[in-house]
Amino acid sequence: MSNISLVISPLHVESVVGKLDPYMDSRVHEYRLVHQQQGRGSDVCWFFFAKADLSKPEAMVRAQHWYESSRHPDWPGFAR
């Protein structure tokens, strides 16, 4: 299984291969995990980390916008 993290701030969304590691990546202390989801029919697990001042709905909208511009082939959609 592989992992992809989206690091979501008010102005930028960055994709990172792997899950953010609190021992290796200092951004973990500025962000919180707001969503985790397995890709449909895929072995990719997605982790959505948002800056503390973003609500989960705001972060998810920014993640969706990131997808619309990137069209990442392993995008999981969102579980309801």
Side-chain angles (χ1 to χ4, degrees), residues 45-66:
C45 188
W46 288 76
F47 297 91
F48 297 78
F49 291 90
K51 195 82 164 170
D53 56 348
L54 286 177
S55 68
K56 179 178 179 176
E58 290 172 318
M60 299 308 280
V61 165
R62 284 173 173 75
Q64 183 65 38
H65 289 161
W66 173 85

Side-chain angles (χ1 to χ4, degrees), residues 5 18-31 49:
S5 295
K19 184 177 178 187
L20 295 185
D21 181 346
Y23 300 105
M24 302 297 289
D25 196 322
S26 63
R27 290 177 292 188
V28 171
H29 304 293
E30 299 172 26
Y31 292 79
F49 291 90

